[in-house]
Amino acid sequence: MNTVRAKKHLGQHFLNDKHAAQKIVDALEPALGFKQVLEVGPGMGVLSDFLLQKDTYETWLIDVDDESIIFLADKYPQLDNRLIHGDFLALDFSQFFGDKVAVIGNFPYNISSQILFKVLEERGRVAQMVGMFQKEVAERCVAKPGSKEYGILSVFLQAYYDLQYLFTVKAGAFSPPPKVLSGVIKMTRNDRDTLDCDEKLFWRVVKAAFNQRRKTLRNALSAVVPKDRMSDNPLYELRAERLSVEDFVILTNEITHAIHQNDK
């Protein structure tokens, strides 16, 4: 097989800019201690070519596309069982990877959020992720409090990772070219093992806050905790986009206390 057909239902746009591919691979930091790197959706291997030149880590590939798997198995026979035919979103990391692994890829834009939430689920193992997304999604990931791009994804990712926007890639760097610009980001695991609050409630608070982002939190969070049980904390008078991860932790703890006080 000489080539792989890009499939619309898989959101495939194959990167053909080798300079951009080199920059993406070089952004990985093996000094963080990972010995394995998993590339998601390698397609025809433009990133894989550069990954396999590195000897500081072991490269693994995963692709759900039958055609890509046949192509990659022929191109990289040395991979053997390090070429996984499967769905990244359903992957059991514990079957293949140790305590630390990095994830890399030119990710399918139609499942960007699911990929990011899968990385979050595996945050105990994923020390770093470098990847390409639709520029708008990449900007949302790295957005800071106070910006209109800042949202649920920003808060959840920044709770556990330090994020950097690395560079933009134009549509002409892909085959077929997407209708949007692309952005490459780097996520590096921070020192936070757990949030200093009830994490399930934290997720619920953040979602409720941003689902009604035009309202102040005193109104947006009334479905989580009744207004008459909210304190006079000035954070309640702000909109969701103004709060940092730490602010949401503070509010979550206040709400936990308010709920438990009423239960007594």
Side-chain angles (χ1 to χ4, degrees):
M1 185 182 291
N2 296 322
T3 188
V4 177
R5 292 173 297 110
K7 297 163 193 67
K8 193 172 182 180
H9 74 281
L10 293 177
Q12 290 174 328
H13 295 275
F14 298 133
L15 181 66
N16 52 32
D17 182 332
K18 293 195 174 184
H19 177 64
Q22 177 87 70
K23 282 171 69 179
I24 292 169
V25 170
D26 287 349
L28 286 170
E29 300 172 88
L32 293 170
F34 55 80
K35 298 294 183 189
Q36 295 168 295
V37 173
L38 174 63
E39 184 188 354
V40 179
M44 290 188 285
V46 68
L47 291 182
S48 320
D49 285 344
F50 293 104
L51 288 166
L52 288 162
Q53 290 172 20
K54 308 287 185 180
D55 56 11
T56 48
Y57 49 74
E58 188 178 68
T59 296
W60 291 65
L61 311 181
I62 182 168
D63 209 305
V64 74
D65 181 16
D66 300 354
E67 214 176 331
S68 282
I69 288 292
I70 294 167
F71 179 91
L72 295 164
D74 184 58
K75 186 176 182 182
Y76 308 120
Q78 73 272 32
L79 281 174
D80 194 20
N81 64 345
R82 288 184 286 131
L83 175 60
I84 304 168
H85 187 188
D87 181 358
F88 173 71
L89 300 179
L91 182 67
D92 179 358
F93 272 57
S94 65
Q95 272 194 300
F96 303 97
F97 306 111
D99 291 343
K100 281 191 177 183
V101 61
V103 174
I104 193 168
N106 167 28
F107 299 114
Y109 296 167
N110 57 347
I111 55 167
S112 294
S113 294
Q114 291 125 290
I115 286 168
L116 289 162
F117 280 113
K118 175 68 174 177
V119 170
L120 267 181
E121 278 176 29
E122 299 291 347
R123 61 186 178 271
R125 279 192 168 83
V126 180
Q128 190 167 65
M129 189 212 75
V130 177
M132 180 132 54
F133 297 92
Q134 183 176 332
K135 188 171 188 280
E136 184 183 306
V137 174
E139 288 173 340
R140 284 213 307 270
C141 294
V142 305
K144 297 301 179 193
S147 67
K148 68 179 189 300
E149 292 82 15
Y150 186 70
I152 292 173
L153 200 55
S154 323
V155 175
F156 288 165
L157 293 176
Q158 291 171 34
Y160 299 103
Y161 286 89
D162 296 325
L163 283 95
Q164 291 173 267
Y165 188 97
L166 299 182
F167 58 94
T168 301
V169 182
K170 293 183 178 177
F174 301 87
S175 178
K179 294 177 181 176
V180 294
L181 292 174
S182 303
V184 179
I185 61 170
K186 174 157 66 175
M187 294 175 25
T188 306
R189 191 72 172 84
N190 63 24
D191 295 331
R192 194 183 270 130
D193 287 331
T194 56
L195 297 176
D196 190 21
C197 65
D198 178 331
E199 293 194 21
K200 283 187 179 177
L201 184 59
F202 173 86
W203 285 58
R204 191 176 160 209
V205 165
V206 172
K207 286 178 180 176
F210 281 102
N211 283 340
Q212 300 188 70
R213 64 184 297 151
R214 291 178 181 274
K215 296 184 178 182
T216 65
L217 293 174
R218 194 168 295 281
N219 291 314
L221 297 179
S222 59
V224 180
V225 60
K227 287 185 187 179
D228 61 3
R229 284 193 244 161
M230 294 180 186
S231 73
D232 58 1
N233 189 324
L235 289 175
Y236 281 115
E237 310 314 322
L238 301 176
R239 291 178 177 177
E241 66 197 38
R242 298 286 302 281
L243 271 66
S244 66
V245 171
E246 291 71 23
D247 291 333
F248 275 112
V249 168
I250 289 167
L251 271 193
T252 301
N253 281 324
E254 285 208 4
I255 290 169
T256 301
H257 179 71
I259 292 169
H260 289 166
Q261 280 292 100
N262 197 65
D263 290 343
K264 289 179 180 178

